[in-house]
Amino acid sequence: MINITLPDGAVRQYENGSTALDVAKSISEGLAKKVLAASVNGQVWDATRPINDDASLKLLTWNDTDGKNTFWHSSAHLMAEAVESMFPGVKFWVGPPVENGFYYDMDLGDKKITEDDLAALEKKMNELAKQNNGFVRKEMPKTDAINYFTEKGDEYKLDLLSNLNDGEITFYTQGNFTDLCRGPHIPNTSFIKAIKLTNIAGAYWKGDEKNKMLTRLYGVTFPSQKELDEYLALLEEAKKRDHRKLGKELSIYTMDDDVGQGLIMWMPNGTVIIEELEKLAKETELEAGYKRVVTPHIAKESMYLTSGHLPYYADSMYPPMEMDGEKYYLRSMNCPHHHKIFAAEPKSYRDLPYRIAEYGTVYRYEQSGELFGLMRVRCLHMNDAHIYCTREQFNDEFRAVNEMYLKYFKIFGIERYVMRLSLHSPEKLGVKYVNEPELWKETETMVRNVLVESGIPFVEVQDEAAFYGPKIDVQIFSAIGREFTLATNQVDFSQGRSFKLQYTGQDNKAETPLIIHRAPLGTHERFIGFLLEQYAGKFPAWLAPVQVKVLPISDKFMDYAKTVAGKLKKADIRAEVDDRNEKIGKKIRDTELLKIPYMLVIGEKEMNENKVAVRRQGKGDLGVKGVEEFINEIAAEIRERRAD
Ligand SMILES: [Zn+2]
Ligand SMILES: [Zn+2]
């Protein structure tokens, strides 16, 4: 008998050679139908693989990342089986799970898969899935494996084999398809109930452009048709909300080859949003006791040697500029400049906490292949600030930072968010992490306590902290459930020392402050990209580039329309008149396309009574109102930054 320890700590006895599936069955038949794989002593295994020793076991289902990845990797094998049946002689490279599904790289020789083949391949995959074929694992001596693929003439698998040792080689077979694979796999193909092949692309073998271009076939599968339908609907919605598409349609930003890749130019509409965000940040930070600073975008090499950016982060910086025999770098972070401001005047404990903020411009070298719309760019504007405090002050300061996040989440209607607390790993002290075991323990405990006390959902991950302290990555989810990494908060007990930052403590001794790095609104680039998706381009009135469009029914009412717009502008409301010689129906439709929150339609009656007919984006007709009445209402909506 063997002892199996379950995640809740319960220990159960099973016969030697029992499988995870046997364990699941002993708990409930319903559970057994959902088990895709198992974590055995922390390693992901086939649910059908015999367990021969005492072990801790976690059953993995669709709701576990490892379960889902096993499902998708198995689907890649199923896809390969279908491809092989329709394109005999095809050779396969690798077929991993990815964020949303899986792919397989393949060499089709002189044949080609086209969009037209996808439906037939999906049909074939469905047929094969229904055959309920088990995924059978077989350990193979290296020579047998080499013989097998030599006979098949498959140079790709032979290449994979050349990097594997005897004793660690396994084959998996389902139906008529056998692959060199370390696994694991789902119990059988019938788990795969809904299939969609999503894309055909080219990919150089091993990612090297000197190598042959292989065909990369992407797909996604689900345990039910309902889940596939929901996924496809979400994709459709995400396409409509794509920040690159909306950014163009709403004239938010542009890029130009002469300026350079990844360098965003904010057009007037985008700049309005930027200024509103900065206004919000400035108000919020002023209230929270921050002071504002302005610092240059470049600095000498010596500063980045002190900060450690050089040589460690040289890869992510632009190359240096030489001037007057010195090297200058475009900054990739604002911190060092802020540290210099802290150091500019002597500080005592009375000056702490010292909080300085700047919407700082930074430049990062991202590979051109990595650049993506507003999400990955080379010039960013960061909602940055640094808090220099004593250890006694840390809890309050850190809690206040978290509260600021929550305040922003409320304003922007962010309902789902998670904080990821990254901790150090004690074995790597002095190598990957500053060798200060006590400080690590202390700061990690402080950060964890604040998160627990604030009731903020968070997960802990080991061995992913920054070099100089624990960090918190903030992930937010848009209205359609897509995840964005918004910002990183860091606790830093090291840079203070590198920069010799000091304050005089109560006992007159020199002390090094703790530093909190924070950027709740992230960068303008990423945050506005997020907001475009979050609002589907329909910004709330306070953020909308144009808040009101005045639409005269005909030229006869143009003067009155201009008078109304003038009054709005005087009340600091962003208003425009549609003075085109178009039918009112077209004017309304065009304004709706531009997603402008309010339309004021003006005709004979409105002009004679000094009124406006109000239409609200998404809500339709709100009736006729006096001009002053409308101005008061929208001014309050804007002032309170209401969602709608
Ligand atoms: Zn495989
Ligand atoms: Zn910083």
Side-chain angles (χ1 to χ4, degrees):
M1 300 296 276
I2 51 169
N3 292 314
I4 297 292
T5 310
L6 297 168
D8 63 0
V11 181
R12 294 185 177 214
Q13 289 206 320
Y14 292 90
E15 260 173 61
N16 195 345
S18 294
T19 66
L21 214 49
D22 296 331
V23 174
K25 277 181 193 152
S26 78
I27 297 170
S28 89
E29 280 294 334
L31 176 62
K33 286 197 184 106
K34 284 193 250 167
V35 170
L36 301 173
S39 166
V40 179
N41 296 328
Q43 272 191 311
V44 188
W45 270 31
D46 303 312
T48 52
R49 186 166 162 191
I51 304 170
N52 297 319
D53 289 299
D54 290 354
S56 67
L57 178 84
K58 181 172 187 264
L59 300 168
L60 301 173
T61 69
W62 179 251
N63 295 325
D64 301 289
T65 306
D66 285 328
K68 198 176 272 182
N69 283 339
T70 304
F71 188 91
W72 279 337
H73 178 60
S74 301
S75 303
H77 279 227
L78 184 72
M79 180 173 78
E81 186 182 2
V83 170
E84 198 171 54
S85 77
M86 288 173 61
F87 298 86
V90 58
K91 291 170 195 171
F92 295 100
W93 173 234
V94 290
V98 289
E99 201 186 334
N100 282 305
F102 55 88
Y103 68 77
Y104 221 124
D105 281 350
M106 54 191 83
D107 181 350
L108 289 151
D110 49 10
K111 299 196 192 82
K112 224 181 138 181
I113 291 183
T114 68
E115 296 283 336
D116 300 336
D117 298 316
L118 297 185
L121 276 168
E122 283 169 10
K123 191 163 166 253
K124 187 77 198 170
M125 283 175 74
N126 275 307
E127 270 170 44
L128 294 169
K130 287 199 186 100
Q131 288 176 5
N132 194 8
N133 293 321
F135 284 87
V136 182
R137 178 178 188 274
K138 192 175 172 198
E139 288 171 17
M140 285 292 258
K142 187 164 179 172
T143 44
D144 291 4
I146 290 174
N147 287 341
Y148 178 87
F149 285 111
T150 308
E151 214 157 281
K152 241 185 138 183
D154 190 334
E155 66 270 31
Y156 299 101
K157 296 294 168 181
L158 287 171
D159 184 273
L160 286 177
L161 275 171
S162 67
N163 295 313
L164 295 174
N165 298 319
D166 211 2
E168 60 177 23
I169 294 164
T170 50
F171 279 19
Y172 276 84
T173 301
Q174 97 277 1
N176 290 316
F177 181 73
T178 295
D179 204 356
L180 167 70
C181 178
R182 90 164 56 88
H185 282 285
I186 58 177
N188 64 64
T189 55
S190 74
F191 283 77
I192 303 168
K193 297 262 197 282
I195 297 163
K196 182 82 195 158
L197 298 183
T198 47
N199 194 18
I200 310 165
Y204 292 109
W205 184 43
K206 297 184 179 182
D208 185 341
E209 60 191 52
K210 288 185 214 88
N211 287 341
K212 184 166 182 180
M213 173 84 85
L214 303 178
T215 300
R216 178 169 292 179
L217 187 54
Y218 285 92
V220 65
T221 50
F222 292 90
S224 77
Q225 185 62 37
K226 183 170 164 273
E227 278 158 299
L228 173 60
D229 291 344
E230 282 168 3
Y231 173 76
L232 294 176
L234 176 72
L235 272 193
E236 243 348 271
E237 189 57 36
K239 243 190 242 168
K240 275 189 226 151
R241 292 176 184 238
D242 188 320
H243 76 270
R244 294 165 300 171
K245 176 175 165 282
L246 288 170
K248 196 172 162 74
E249 285 169 8
L250 304 177
S251 306
I252 303 289
Y253 72 94
T254 188
M255 284 189 263
D256 190 291
D257 243 6
D258 280 339
V259 177
Q261 283 187 308
L263 298 170
I264 304 294
M265 286 175 287
W266 294 98
M267 296 163 83
N269 282 348
T271 305
V272 169
I273 300 170
I274 283 186
E275 285 179 349
E276 287 295 345
L277 291 175
E278 293 196 5
K279 195 168 144 217
L280 170 66
K282 282 173 189 172
E283 282 174 23
T284 309
E285 285 160 5
L286 186 71
E287 209 182 292
Y290 291 71
K291 295 199 162 85
R292 304 204 76 75
V293 296
V294 175
T295 55
H297 297 192
I298 62 172
K300 272 162 55 181
E301 182 181 37
S302 53
M303 185 155 85
Y304 295 114
L305 288 170
T306 305
S307 69
H309 285 97
L310 293 177
Y312 301 111
Y313 295 99
D315 280 358
S316 61
M317 294 174 82
Y318 274 60
M321 294 167 271
E322 303 257 356
M323 189 169 70
D324 300 338
E326 314 222 56
K327 278 186 190 162
Y328 284 81
Y329 283 84
L330 278 169
R331 68 173 168 195
S332 65
M333 286 194 191
N334 304 303
C335 337
H337 286 94
H338 288 188
H339 301 339
K340 292 292 187 189
I341 287 187
F342 179 93
E345 292 168 344
K347 298 271 183 302
S348 90
Y349 66 94
R350 285 196 197 85
D351 301 310
L352 268 47
Y354 186 74
R355 313 178 189 94
I356 48 176
E358 173 176 20
Y359 248 102
T361 309
V362 298
Y363 301 84
R364 295 195 181 154
Y365 177 72
E366 297 272 3
Q367 296 201 342
S368 56
E370 303 275 303
L371 297 170
F372 177 71
L374 290 173
M375 292 298 145
R376 283 289 197 108
V377 295
R378 285 177 173 169
C379 171
L380 317 101
H381 300 82
M382 190 183 287
N383 172 221
D384 214 353
H386 295 91
I387 301 169
Y388 303 82
C389 65
T390 68
R391 283 191 213 181
E392 293 71 40
Q393 291 165 338
F394 179 84
N395 265 23
D396 285 347
E397 289 307 306
F398 194 72
R399 180 174 302 117
V401 167
N402 277 326
E403 276 161 15
M404 195 179 282
Y405 272 91
L406 299 184
K407 178 189 161 171
Y408 288 141
F409 289 171
K410 210 162 164 201
I411 292 174
F412 296 103
I414 298 165
E415 284 164 4
R416 260 182 81 202
Y417 53 86
V418 176
M419 298 206 182
R420 237 170 87 97
L421 168 57
S422 297
L423 309 169
H424 79 300
S425 138
E427 308 87 71
K428 296 184 185 165
L429 283 170
V431 187
K432 194 173 165 191
Y433 304 110
V434 180
N435 195 4
E436 294 281 0
E438 286 310 308
L439 272 173
W440 277 105
K441 241 202 250 157
E442 193 186 336
T443 48
E444 287 176 354
T445 308
M446 288 195 291
V447 171
R448 187 184 296 113
N449 287 346
V450 174
L451 288 172
V452 171
E453 283 162 25
S454 331
I456 292 172
F458 74 102
V459 289
E460 289 191 20
V461 280
Q462 297 291 329
D463 195 18
E464 286 193 12
F467 175 64
Y468 48 72
K471 65 171 184 166
I472 293 119
D473 292 309
V474 183
Q475 325 273 108
I476 55 176
F477 295 82
S478 76
I480 54 169
R482 288 210 316 139
E483 186 176 354
F484 290 75
T485 299
L486 176 62
T488 304
N489 282 347
Q490 280 170 352
V491 186
D492 173 354
F493 45 78
S494 169
Q495 281 203 29
R497 259 179 264 174
S498 319
F499 278 84
K500 300 194 171 61
L501 304 184
Q502 288 189 330
Y503 66 93
T504 315
Q506 248 161 326
D507 53 4
N508 252 333
K509 272 202 246 151
E511 304 267 4
T512 306
L514 280 177
I515 305 169
I516 300 173
H517 307 245
R518 42 112 283 176
L521 296 176
T523 64
H524 281 323
E525 287 70 20
R526 186 164 289 192
F527 196 60
I528 293 174
F530 164 79
L531 289 179
L532 281 164
E533 176 170 313
Q534 171 80 347
Y535 295 126
K538 294 171 193 140
F539 287 100
W542 73 275
L543 272 177
V546 177
Q547 294 164 322
V548 180
K549 196 94 173 183
V550 187
L551 312 179
I553 288 176
S554 78
D555 278 358
K556 239 168 73 187
F557 314 112
M558 192 62 74
D559 285 345
Y560 177 61
K562 285 184 177 158
T563 310
V564 170
K567 283 184 184 166
L568 288 163
K569 283 182 205 165
K570 221 169 157 193
D572 276 333
I573 294 158
R574 296 184 287 272
E576 285 178 357
V577 178
D578 188 341
D579 56 7
R580 296 173 304 161
N581 188 13
E582 295 284 0
K583 291 252 162 43
I584 188 68
K586 175 153 176 59
K587 286 184 181 180
I588 291 175
R589 277 195 306 279
D590 288 351
T591 311
E592 265 166 2
L593 284 178
L594 292 172
K595 307 186 199 300
I596 292 167
Y598 284 96
M599 283 181 241
L600 303 180
V601 180
I602 283 171
E604 186 84 44
K605 185 167 174 283
E606 286 77 20
M607 183 172 75
N608 291 340
E609 295 176 9
N610 198 23
K611 288 190 168 164
V612 290
V614 184
R615 286 178 72 94
R616 179 74 164 98
Q617 165 88 248
K619 286 189 184 160
D621 218 330
L622 298 187
V624 176
K625 293 185 184 189
V627 177
E628 297 309 320
E629 184 192 356
F630 173 72
I631 289 179
N632 287 337
E633 283 177 12
I634 188 176
E637 180 180 344
I638 292 166
R639 193 172 52 242
E640 291 162 23
R641 297 192 171 98
R642 271 186 239 147
D644 59 21

